[in-house]
Amino acid sequence: MLHERIPNLAKFVEADRVRREVYTDASIFEMEMERIHERVWIYCGHETQVPKAGDYYTTQIGRQPMLMVRGKDGKVNVLYNRCPHRGSMMCGDRSGNAGEFFRCSYHSWTFHHDGKLRAIPMMESGYAGTRWTRDNPDCNMKRAARVENYRGFVFASLAAEGPGLLEFLGRSKVAFDDICDRSPEGEVEIVPNCFRVIQHSNWKIFLENQLDALHPSVTHQSTGRAAREVELEIEKRTGKIPLSYHMLSAFSTVTIEKWDNFQTLNYPYGHCILTGYMGLRPQDPDTLEYERVLAKAYGEKRKEEILTTNIHHVLIYPGLSVQSPLQQLRAVRPLGVDKTLTEIWHFRLKGAPEPIYRRALAYYNLVNSPSTMINADDLENFWKAHQGLSSDGGDWVSFHRHYGRDAEKDGIVETAPNCGTSEAPMRNQMKAWTQYMAAGK
Ligand code: FES
Ligand SMILES: [Fe+2]
């Protein structure tokens, strides 16, 4: 057993620092998959990825290849992508439509969309007298132990026991409320397809970076400065600054001191919110039209509440990073101790005017996509961090910034005023990590 080889996990994590093996040891990675990713609620996808009966989309939970599939009853099921006969993967394509039922390409066993066995060729003659009978549950495609959907966002847990999805999400569910409420219809639609990026670093390095308010004005400064120069030239020529340039130039104009004005709210299970409204309410005709549509749908007061929701970023541990004001989501799928896949998605607000969607698309392309320098800046950091941690140059990772100044109330850790660059989110993630790892199987 792994825990016999790693007898004392507690020695790897202290409140303000973590040993480097936590990021580089393959046995610890296996244990994380078993005790964290394959137990907690993991985001599978959005229900609009599978709009029609038989539509499926493959995904991954921990080390398990999974399928999200829409049944004829409209329900979204999450199944292991595996045939119970001799183990062949059921769907080799990333997505598609299974038709009336799944049919394994190896020996033609067929299954309903909920995973139940439909037929085995010549079952009567082939299996008479064996224990392979129709009522044997092993004949079905295995289902995720639990599946829940919150406002169209589908999660699954591979463990039968544990908190329900809403209890698990706690206050971090605001990520989905904020995304959906910004739609006049209260719903969003996923925009196919996503960008997929494989980074050569441990999955925790990505998550720690998401609410690392210390890094943007350093790591992304050169990108921000270049954008600022062009922006000023455009302004000189046309008298206007395009909003898309502002998304990039902000990385040079928002300095470290300004980032300290933001605040993080750290919740149980490792979730965290970075506040600091992104201020995307210019008074141009497109925004004004959007606000009019929103006010018509919700009334003036509610519209104002929705548009002033103070969120920059929500991290849902251990696999999701959401920027709700711009309808962006990144799902983290660990592939190995030093290899991590991120899926970068964005959404369309149903019923909102097209220019508002173009704004989300601009942010998606300019800030989150692999073709932007912002993403390249981060990827370089991730790789360099993993390289450094793989060396004997030191044993510890430091999370000391603003340590001791956090204020804890009712299980929620708030960073103190002017401590937006605190490493409290990393400490909170490692606290959850330690609890999950200690809970074991
Ligand atoms: S492995 Fe699927 S039918 Fe044989
Ligand atoms: Fe970054």
Side-chain angles (χ1 to χ4, degrees), residues 209-210 212 215-216 219-220 251 330 367 374-375 377-379 381-382:
N209 184 66
Q210 293 311 292
D212 181 333
H215 91 282
T219 297
H220 306 304
F251 285 99
R330 279 170 284 181
V367 179
I374 300 288
N375 196 291
D377 293 337
D378 284 326
L379 286 172
N381 273 352
F382 301 158

Side-chain angles (χ1 to χ4, degrees), residues 166-423:
L166 282 183
E167 186 190 337
F168 169 78
L169 291 175
R171 295 278 290 279
S172 72
K173 90 176 173 60
V174 72
F176 308 112
D177 291 332
D178 190 33
I179 286 194
C180 296
D181 291 347
R182 284 172 190 270
S183 148
E185 295 175 22
E187 285 180 2
V188 292
E189 195 175 12
I190 203 155
V191 181
N193 201 339
C194 67
F195 289 119
R196 288 185 174 79
V197 176
I198 292 178
Q199 61 199 56
H200 295 276
S201 52
N202 187 263
W203 61 278
K204 296 187 290 302
I205 294 174
F206 179 88
L207 288 181
E208 285 160 9
N209 184 66
Q210 293 311 292
L211 300 188
D212 181 333
L214 186 59
H215 91 282
S217 53
V218 181
T219 297
H220 306 304
Q221 190 194 34
S222 56
T223 305
R225 250 192 356 231
R228 181 78 185 134
E229 276 172 30
V230 179
E231 179 179 84
L232 290 174
E233 266 175 42
I234 296 175
E235 191 182 21
K236 220 187 285 167
R237 271 204 323 271
T238 66
K240 283 195 299 225
I241 295 180
L243 185 65
S244 51
Y245 268 92
H246 184 67
M247 290 170 180
L248 286 174
S249 63
F251 285 99
S252 68
T253 53
V254 182
T255 56
I256 293 188
E257 293 74 30
K258 287 190 192 153
W259 279 101
D260 249 344
N261 296 333
F262 288 34
Q263 195 192 26
T264 62
L265 304 166
N266 298 278
Y267 298 104
Y269 301 115
H271 312 322
C272 180
I273 294 176
L274 174 67
T275 65
Y277 177 60
M278 295 173 95
L280 288 164
R281 284 182 80 182
Q283 294 300 294
D284 62 295
D286 294 334
T287 311
L288 294 177
E289 168 62 9
Y290 168 55
E291 294 203 6
R292 199 188 57 74
V293 174
L294 217 53
K296 194 163 164 228
Y298 294 112
E300 193 59 36
K301 185 166 168 274
R302 180 74 187 120
K303 175 209 88 176
E304 212 45 42
E305 272 169 20
I306 292 169
L307 291 178
T308 51
T309 303
N310 188 13
I311 290 179
H312 186 288
H313 216 121
V314 182
L315 183 117
I316 300 171
Y317 192 77
L320 209 53
S321 157
V322 187
Q323 281 169 292
S324 49
L326 283 154
Q327 301 89 50
Q328 317 275 316
L329 174 151
R330 279 170 284 181
V332 183
R333 318 266 183 215
L335 302 177
V337 69
D338 58 355
K339 206 168 153 192
T340 305
L341 167 71
T342 49
E343 293 174 4
I344 309 165
W345 295 96
H346 75 303
F347 295 83
R348 185 186 283 275
L349 299 174
K350 279 194 185 170
E354 186 65 12
I356 300 303
Y357 167 65
R358 309 293 311 176
R359 199 167 288 174
L361 177 64
Y363 193 86
Y364 181 67
N365 281 329
L366 288 169
V367 179
N368 284 340
S369 90
S371 61
T372 165
M373 288 309 294
I374 300 288
N375 196 291
D377 293 337
D378 284 326
L379 286 172
E380 193 197 4
N381 273 352
F382 301 158
W383 175 72
K384 280 156 84 179
H386 199 95
Q387 291 302 302
L389 293 175
S390 306
S391 80
D392 294 332
D395 290 333
W396 296 94
V397 170
S398 156
F399 291 142
H400 297 88
R401 194 174 177 85
H402 295 318
Y403 179 62
R405 285 199 243 168
D406 308 327
E408 183 162 354
K409 209 171 111 200
D410 303 329
I412 301 168
V413 174
E414 288 186 17
T415 46
N418 284 320
C419 290
T421 62
S422 167
E423 281 163 347

